[in-house]
């Protein structure tokens, strides 16, 4: 889980925690305090402030991106290049250049 703001905590994480098939490995937040709170509350194995660390983790196969909109495209592209499956809250990107980069990363 990259980002643990209101939408993540209020909607996504409660669903994921109840799903027996979900394994919550890592949570990434911009501050260590928010990540540690989410780790303890939802049972993540570890928290980080660097999303690239999570993308490099071979134990993780899905990146759930729930960050401010301006960061979505870069993180989606990086996750695809790291060969992760990606779930991103809307919007996917905010301009045509970002979409082109996502398309390149996906292909």
């Amino acid at each position: 889980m990259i980002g643990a703001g209101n939408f993540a905590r209020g909607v996504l994480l409660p669903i994921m925690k109840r799903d027996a098939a979900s394994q919550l490995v890592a949570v990434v937040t911009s501050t260590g305090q928010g990540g540690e709170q989410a780790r303890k509350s939802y049972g993540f194995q570890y928290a980080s402030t660097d999303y690239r660390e999570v993308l490099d983790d071979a134990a993780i196969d899905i990146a759930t991106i729930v960050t401010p909109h301006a960061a979505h495209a870069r993180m989606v592209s990086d996750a695809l290049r790291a060969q992760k499956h990606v779930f991103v809250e809307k919007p996917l990107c905010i301009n045509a250049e970002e979409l082109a980069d996502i398309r390149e990363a996906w292909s």
Side-chain angles (χ1 to χ4, degrees):
M1 174 76 60
I2 302 172
N6 291 336
F7 182 69
R9 290 177 190 237
V11 177
L12 296 178
L13 285 171
I15 293 168
M16 294 169 80
K17 188 172 180 176
R18 286 191 308 263
D19 180 7
S22 293
Q23 183 180 12
L24 301 176
V25 178
V27 59
V28 179
T29 59
S30 59
T31 66
Q33 181 180 1
E36 276 302 307
Q37 288 175 344
R39 184 189 66 75
K40 290 176 185 174
S41 295
Y42 295 98
F44 287 95
Q45 293 174 18
Y46 68 93
S48 178
T49 57
D50 182 359
Y51 78 95
R52 289 179 187 91
E53 175 186 0
V54 170
L55 297 182
D56 290 340
D57 189 333
I60 295 172
D61 56 355
I62 300 172
T64 303
I65 300 170
V66 194
T67 58
H69 297 166
H72 287 184
R74 175 177 39 87
M75 291 179 176
V76 167
S77 293
D78 288 349
L80 290 171
R81 287 186 178 100
Q83 300 196 358
K84 306 297 183 191
H85 298 282
V86 178
F87 172 88
V88 60
E89 73 168 324
K90 64 178 176 69
L92 174 63
C93 58
I94 55 177
N95 61 49
E97 291 81 19
E98 290 177 347
L99 182 58
D101 187 50
I102 292 168
R103 182 179 235 166
E104 180 186 316
W106 177 72
S107 61

